[in-house]
Amino acid sequence: MPDAPRRIIHIDMDAFYASVEQRDDPKLRGRPVAVGGSPESRGVVAAASYEARAFGVRSALPMARALRLCPELLVVRPDFARYRAVSQQVMAILREASPLVEPLSLDEAYLDVTENLWGEPLAVSVAKRLKARIRDELRLTASAGVAPNKFLAKIASGWRKPDGLTVIAPERVERFLAQLPVEALWGVGPVTAKKLRAIGIARLVDVRKTSEERLRGAVGNLAGWLERLSRGEDPRPVEPHRPWMSLSGETTYARDLEDSGEIRAEIERLARRLAASLERKNLLARTVTVKVRYSDFSTVTRSHTAAAPTREAGEIAARARALLERTDAARRPVRLLGVGAHGLLGEADFLPTSRALPL
Amino acid sequence: MVLVKAKRDELVAPLSSVSGIIERRHTLPILSNVLIERSTDSLAFLATDIEIQITAHTGSAQGGEAHSVTVGARKLLDILRALPEGSEVTLDQQDKRLLVRAGKSRFTLQTLPAEDFPRLAKPGGESAHFALGQRALRRLLGLVQYAMAQQDIRYYLNGLLMVVEDRQLKLVATDGHRLAFASLPLAAELPRQEVIVPRKTVLELAKLLSDSDDEVAIKLSANQAAFSFGTIELVSKLVDGKFPDYTRVIPTQHKNQLHLAREPLRQALLRAAILSNEKFRGVRWVLADGSLKIVSSNAEQEEAQEELEVKYSGEAIDVGFNVNYLLDVLNNVSGEEVECSFGDSTSSALFCYASEKDFKYVVMPMRI
């Protein structure tokens, strides 16, 4: 006997960073706003207000291009500390409905409301109440998708934006799937989509009519996953305590760095910032990675894993500097530098380690 | 052609001296061989792993026409060791094979040409020459070598810092959490020299040095260190890197001091270690007037407590250490009395010995 259908909500804050900026600064309201790095420093758009999107400004677009698309665009430098604080308020509201909240990023989360603290029999009522709370208390809008699993809920929340609410009831899943192009799938980028179209799969449901070998030949290991999704199945649970997989920080420089002293100083700065963020999140890392993008955009990463986890700034900085030595940084001009931490251990795994000598 | 005729033991000793550095797996097959080199007045065995090269001469001079060949070191050593003590052994090269004969035993081994055997280049640049007694150097190495890092990304910590300055030889080893320092006066004023000797070289050297007053001649140059003692010459490449400024981490201002008898402390730590967390090895030191408590507990909430009566009148301190770091120093450095100095629970602790004036051990506490 199949399990009883679950009720999953995906909440996606509308143009989150830009909306927070517009909320907090009346001068920005009703105008095209992009949050991100300055065009001079080769920054990119992190979030665009809906007014800006009308001009074709999208996140990840280089800011200089965004300004060509929309000359009156107001560029705001991001203030992640503030976004994090607002995000925590959003998540707190979501947790009032159900303890099963899985944040995906600052502005997105899944909730399992099959059983909810409000005793609402219908997930759509929970979603309506959440949207109303977010609007009334935080003066922000969110789009919600309600469906029997994560995959469908996420697609549903993107169906109507901003301030949308889309419900895919179990009996309507089939009709919903029928109209879905392959590009709508999570895990299917433009390249995979092209491969699928090449073998005659334009809509997700076309996957069902394709033989497994043919599918596997086109997209490899993704085949099994696609097959499941084409039947609207996604058994992944909502995991409220999904551990942080990694933390990293990187900077793109306004001009290419060529001085080895300057590059080392930057790596040191990024490493110390990373250590501070591990400290804040109460995490320890076993693996430290360094990422270097040269001026020709070719990118290398170097990593090192130690037996004992650490978040000691001095040790992370020393390891990052040693990894930097294994790149061509300075011998080749550098456009971007990053330092990351992987193999993270959370609070539960937190055990004492020896401090580092201040060498 | 007969290379050598000798007693088994005269060959086993030099051959085992050089074989220690041979790696089990190597990309170059010839590196698992030993070079047997006969010159007019001696016979020598030579082995290398490209970083280190050890030459050992046979005790009794066994000269003859100059000739050399290489043969699998491990097999030759195993054969010689397995022969009865006192056997008369002949190494006889016949074409491309080496014939080993002893009594009624015969072994034929494959050889590789001596010309293909890699040798370390001669050192370049200035070098510092000096000599110490073997026992003195061995003791000095023993005071610090256990603190060297192992496969640390900070490759310059995977070795031993040797500094010649102020008429002293100073040795420093650290793995980033603890640091051992030892020094020895030198007979003459020498130009300042600073080298990092690789970990493997240090361990091998400590193994080969004998407990005698015979001299070891040391040559430190910009890219090599050479140690000659007895019939052995060990030459090693150096770790190319900058060792961090160790003087900054040796505390000088710690006011909270206590004196402990080494053996009772070591025993107490060994017992407490049994119930410390297997992975993190933490033990707490709780210091108050007249008493030191050593406390440990593991993941199963089992607890050990040891108490030592001490003369202590400093601040009350509660600090955690990796017990292995403490046992390392107490096991490797003997002496009746240990002097421990503390700052607070986040600063390093300093261990000194009344009997070892030129030794210091710094250990960082744990975050508990």
Side-chain angles (χ1 to χ4, degrees):
Chain A
M1 190 181 137
D3 290 339
R6 293 179 297 155
R7 301 186 180 91
I8 309 295
I9 300 177
H10 179 252
I11 292 281
D12 191 0
M13 300 299 294
D14 299 319
F16 184 55
Y17 305 159
S19 301
V20 171
E21 294 298 343
Q22 287 182 316
R23 178 191 77 173
D24 296 346
D25 182 354
K27 291 195 297 293
L28 301 178
R29 288 183 204 151
R31 305 187 57 188
V33 174
V35 175
S38 74
E40 297 79 36
S41 66
R42 304 196 285 201
V44 296
V45 176
S49 73
Y50 282 88
E51 296 84 351
R53 291 184 192 197
F55 290 88
V57 176
R58 298 257 177 284
S59 46
L61 206 63
M63 195 58 88
R65 263 215 10 240
L67 277 164
R68 280 201 295 278
L69 288 169
C70 175
E72 64 265 45
L73 188 68
L74 299 169
V75 178
V76 182
R77 298 303 299 270
D79 176 358
F80 288 103
R82 191 148 48 98
Y83 308 150
R84 241 190 315 271
V86 178
S87 173
Q88 276 167 13
Q89 294 174 315
V90 173
M91 299 303 163
I93 290 175
L94 303 186
R95 287 193 187 95
E96 284 181 29
S98 164
L100 296 178
V101 175
E102 177 182 328
L104 295 178
S105 60
L106 288 182
D107 57 350
E108 255 184 275
Y110 288 117
L111 288 84
D112 186 331
V113 297
T114 314
E115 309 268 345
N116 62 75
L117 300 170
W118 291 337
E120 291 280 2
L122 294 175
V124 62
S125 320
V126 177
K128 276 184 189 154
R129 280 175 68 173
L130 288 173
K131 278 168 53 72
R133 296 277 310 265
I134 291 168
R135 188 179 56 239
D136 298 345
E137 289 172 34
L138 305 178
R139 290 183 295 124
L140 292 169
T141 62
S143 295
V146 180
N149 60 43
K150 282 183 169 180
F151 148 64
L152 291 168
K154 177 143 176 155
I155 291 179
S157 73
W159 211 246
R160 270 192 297 273
K161 270 180 131 323
D163 205 14
L165 172 58
T166 305
V167 182
I168 310 175
E171 61 277 13
R172 283 177 40 216
V173 167
E174 188 56 35
R175 240 177 20 206
F176 185 80
L177 289 174
Q179 54 185 323
L180 221 50
V182 283
E183 284 85 356
L185 293 182
W186 189 84
V188 174
V191 177
T192 313
K194 217 172 135 190
K195 286 183 196 155
L196 289 169
R197 285 182 182 273
I199 59 165
I201 299 174
R203 295 171 311 149
L204 181 57
V205 284
D206 298 336
V207 169
R208 299 183 202 165
K209 299 182 301 217
T210 312
S211 75
E212 202 196 317
E213 301 88 83
R214 203 169 149 78
L215 197 59
R216 200 161 285 279
V219 299
N221 285 337
L222 211 54
W225 178 236
L226 277 182
E227 220 287 311
R228 270 197 135 148
L229 292 187
S230 74
R231 285 181 274 120
E233 287 175 17
D234 173 8
R236 290 173 303 160
V238 172
E239 293 175 86
H241 296 296
R242 205 166 57 149
W244 292 84
M245 302 307 281
S246 67
L247 273 180
S248 62
E250 55 187 51
T251 305
T252 300
Y253 298 97
R255 48 170 187 81
D256 294 336
L257 304 185
E258 294 179 65
D259 177 68
S260 62
E262 191 180 0
I263 292 170
R264 273 200 301 275
E266 275 301 306
I267 280 290
E268 171 107 26
R269 183 182 66 82
L270 288 164
R272 290 189 180 275
R273 205 170 69 184
L274 180 71
S277 107
L278 288 169
E279 183 95 46
R280 270 199 306 280
K281 299 191 164 67
N282 225 358
L283 294 168
L284 292 149
R286 288 188 55 207
T287 304
V288 174
T289 62
V290 160
K291 174 171 165 185
V292 177
R293 178 167 296 151
Y294 303 111
S295 54
D296 64 358
F297 279 85
S298 63
T299 307
V300 294
T301 58
R302 297 282 180 267
S303 79
H304 173 256
T305 301
T310 185
R311 64 171 171 228
E312 202 81 44
E315 183 169 345
I316 291 176
R319 284 165 63 182
R321 277 197 310 270
L323 289 168
L324 183 69
E325 299 280 313
R326 298 185 358 210
T327 71
D328 287 331
R331 283 188 290 281
R332 294 169 64 186
V334 166
R335 178 188 163 84
L336 171 150
L337 288 171
V339 179
H342 305 261
L344 301 183
L345 297 175
E347 229 165 342
D349 320 300
F350 187 88
L351 283 162
T353 52
S354 280
R355 290 169 186 273
L357 284 163
L359 284 168
Chain B
M1 186 198 337
V2 174
L3 267 176
V4 64
K5 213 177 222 177
K7 287 256 185 283
R8 162 196 179 270
D9 308 341
E10 288 167 8
L11 298 177
V12 168
L15 184 56
S16 38
S17 298
V18 303
S19 310
I21 54 165
I22 294 174
E23 298 284 351
R24 288 209 175 275
R25 283 173 200 287
H26 236 300
T27 43
L28 268 180
I30 202 166
L31 290 179
S32 47
N33 281 11
V34 59
L35 176 72
I36 307 171
E37 195 169 47
R38 189 179 67 184
S39 62
T40 44
D41 57 357
S42 81
L43 182 84
F45 291 97
L46 190 153
T48 181
D49 68 352
I50 310 237
E51 300 287 319
I52 313 172
Q53 171 180 306
I54 305 184
T55 315
H57 297 268
T58 47
S60 55
Q62 284 274 355
E65 190 190 328
H67 183 78
S68 40
V69 68
T70 82
V71 66
R74 191 74 249 167
K75 284 175 206 151
L76 181 58
L77 184 58
D78 285 349
I79 289 167
L80 293 176
R81 278 196 180 138
L83 288 171
E85 255 178 81
S87 328
E88 190 76 25
V89 182
T90 309
L91 302 186
D92 184 1
Q93 187 175 353
Q94 294 193 338
D95 206 13
K96 287 188 172 160
R97 287 169 177 255
L98 184 76
L99 188 62
V100 181
R101 284 196 313 256
K104 292 194 185 303
S105 310
R106 305 167 73 82
F107 310 84
T108 21
L109 295 169
Q110 298 279 10
T111 67
L112 286 169
E115 307 86 77
D116 295 350
F117 199 76
R119 310 282 289 259
L120 284 195
K122 291 272 171 251
E126 291 280 300
S127 55
H129 297 229
F130 55 96
L132 297 170
Q134 287 197 43
R135 179 186 297 130
L137 179 59
R138 195 167 99 139
R139 203 184 64 91
L140 202 62
L141 292 175
L143 293 177
V144 297
Q145 58 160 9
Y146 55 89
M148 289 186 291
Q150 206 169 351
Q151 291 179 335
D152 198 288
I153 176 92
R154 293 163 289 178
Y155 56 92
Y156 46 82
L157 298 185
N158 302 326
L160 180 70
L161 177 71
M162 289 186 125
V163 188
V164 173
E165 66 181 358
D166 312 330
R167 269 191 171 219
Q168 286 182 68
L169 170 66
K170 300 176 179 172
L171 303 188
V172 185
T174 179
D175 64 0
H177 295 293
R178 41 72 183 272
L179 177 145
F181 168 94
S183 68
L184 196 70
L186 292 175
E189 178 76 46
L190 291 167
R192 192 179 186 285
Q193 183 81 317
E194 176 175 330
V195 301
I196 305 171
V197 182
R199 182 186 165 84
K200 185 175 170 187
T201 305
V202 173
L203 299 180
E204 197 59 34
L205 182 61
K207 222 160 66 190
L208 293 174
L209 287 168
S210 72
D211 195 18
S212 74
D213 290 325
D214 296 347
E215 274 199 349
V216 45
I218 303 171
K219 258 188 258 179
L220 303 180
S221 63
N223 54 9
Q224 271 185 18
F227 304 86
S228 308
F229 48 98
T231 57
I232 297 171
E233 187 189 27
L234 186 158
V235 184
S236 169
K237 289 188 186 168
L238 298 172
V239 178
D240 181 21
K242 179 93 186 79
F243 203 86
D245 177 9
Y246 68 90
T247 55
R248 288 192 309 143
V249 303
I250 300 179
T252 51
Q253 306 286 333
H254 284 357
K255 293 198 186 65
N256 300 304
Q257 291 189 348
L258 89 149
H259 294 259
L260 291 160
R262 180 180 73 104
E263 193 51 25
L265 172 62
R266 197 178 77 88
Q267 297 291 343
L269 286 169
L270 281 170
R271 288 188 294 267
I274 297 167
L275 294 187
S276 76
N277 182 297
E278 278 167 38
K279 201 156 159 215
F280 293 89
R281 308 293 286 159
V283 292
R284 267 172 68 206
W285 284 42
V286 186
L287 254 176
D289 268 350
S291 126
L292 166 63
K293 280 201 192 97
I294 295 172
V295 187
S296 69
S297 63
N298 61 16
E300 292 85 48
Q301 311 292 325
E302 296 165 317
E303 270 189 31
Q305 192 183 110
E306 291 282 337
E307 188 163 356
L308 297 167
E309 275 181 34
V310 291
K311 283 203 186 94
Y312 181 75
S313 53
E315 297 161 40
I317 292 171
D318 186 345
V319 59
F321 294 106
N322 181 324
V323 71
N324 292 352
Y325 293 162
L326 305 180
L327 287 171
D328 272 350
V329 66
L330 298 174
N331 287 334
N332 284 285
V333 184
S334 45
E336 292 277 296
E337 194 183 81
V338 185
E339 180 190 292
C340 312
S341 344
F342 300 90
D344 57 35
S345 63
T346 63
S347 52
S348 63
L350 177 66
F351 285 66
C352 296
Y353 282 69
S355 57
E356 302 277 355
K357 291 285 176 234
D358 301 315
F359 170 77
K360 292 184 173 77
Y361 187 72
V362 183
V363 56
M364 286 302 283
M366 297 183 105
R367 344 165 129 265
I368 291 197

